[in-house]
Amino acid sequence: MTDDIFEKKYNDLKNYINISDEKASQRIAEKLTELNMPVVNKEIVIMCIGSDRATGDSLGPLVGTLLNKVTNFPYKVYGTLFEPIHAINLDDVYKEIITNHMNAYILAIDACLGQKKNVGKVIVQAGPIKPGAGVQKELTPVGHAHIKGIVNISGFMDYLVIQSTRLHDVFMMAEVIRDGIWMYARQNSFARKNSK
């Protein structure tokens, strides 16, 4: 669970992708294309962060699980409902990824809390994600780029808010993110073939 600091930096609504928008997945794919074009020939690893023990924090593992069900998905996925990446094992999994996928481009995915007007939106950004910041945990920043999904409102009793977030809403967001990444993967695969 990340924090909402990015909301202060990116408070322009054009930076947010509302998952209820019928073109939300396409917009996610477009944002990923903008971020990943310089590394079109690099290996890409998807790192899905979160816990299946709190519905609000299950966005990452849900995305990982959904991606693993995609036939012929070309990227290695870490973090699923069966094997989540959370505060206890984050450093170990990150070291494993760096060891097994040297020079790979890492896309991290996590849930966060934010302002009421932005709940149900995602943002795709360059740079590492800071897991745990939303619940006052100091964890290793990970990834070259990241997707944050705003699953609920921040500000008061965040632990309770995370626990009481509707699974349906998180699952819908996970499906949109999965579709956006899959759309990007197909476009990137086509670009790789044409660059050879």
Side-chain angles (χ1 to χ4, degrees):
M1 180 71 62
T2 59
D3 62 8
D4 64 346
I5 291 172
F6 72 92
E7 290 198 84
K8 298 177 182 86
K9 187 175 178 184
Y10 294 93
N11 57 9
D12 186 341
L13 290 178
K14 71 181 180 184
N15 291 306
Y16 293 88
I17 300 168
N18 192 323
I19 64 159
S20 63
D21 180 343
E22 63 181 30
K23 293 188 176 180
S25 295
Q26 181 179 334
R27 290 192 60 208
I28 290 170
E30 289 167 0
K31 291 285 186 185
L32 290 172
T33 298
E34 290 171 19
L35 294 176
N36 288 337
M37 268 315 217
V39 292
V40 72
N41 289 315
K42 268 194 175 183
E43 177 185 14
I44 296 174
V45 172
I46 312 292
M47 187 174 182
C48 302
I49 302 162
S51 171
D52 63 337
R53 295 179 182 268
T55 54
D57 199 28
S58 64
L59 178 67
L62 278 168
V63 173
T65 300
L66 291 170
L67 286 172
N68 274 341
K69 292 181 180 297
V70 174
T71 304
N72 298 322
F73 187 69
Y75 310 142
K76 178 67 177 167
V77 176
Y78 288 83
T80 63
L81 291 172
F82 182 65
E83 292 182 305
I85 301 171
H86 43 65
I88 296 169
N89 67 358
L90 176 73
D91 286 340
D92 291 336
V93 174
Y94 195 46
K95 286 175 189 170
E96 179 185 341
I97 291 171
I98 292 169
T99 301
N100 294 336
H101 307 276
M102 293 176 64
N103 300 316
Y105 190 90
I106 301 169
L107 173 65
I109 300 165
D110 199 3
C112 71
L113 302 175
Q115 297 175 25
K116 184 177 182 179
K117 67 180 181 179
N118 292 325
V119 173
K121 297 177 183 175
V122 300
I123 189 165
V124 181
Q125 283 182 268
I129 203 166
K130 296 177 182 175
V135 286
Q136 290 70 52
K137 289 184 182 176
E138 290 287 329
L139 301 175
T140 304
V142 296
H144 297 96
H146 60 268
I147 299 175
K148 293 180 185 180
I150 307 167
V151 296
N152 214 326
I153 303 166
S154 68
F156 182 69
M157 297 181 70
D158 288 345
Y159 280 105
L160 184 59
V161 170
I162 292 165
Q163 295 288 345
S164 63
T165 300
R166 288 194 66 213
L167 180 58
H168 172 268
D169 296 342
V170 179
F171 188 78
M172 295 293 287
M173 183 177 283
E175 287 188 314
V176 170
I177 294 171
R178 182 266 325 266
D179 291 346
I181 294 171
W182 177 223
M183 202 175 290
Y184 166 76
R186 286 179 295 179
Q187 294 167 357
N188 193 41
S189 177
F190 181 76
R192 285 179 192 224
K193 287 176 186 174
N194 286 343
S195 69
K196 291 179 181 177

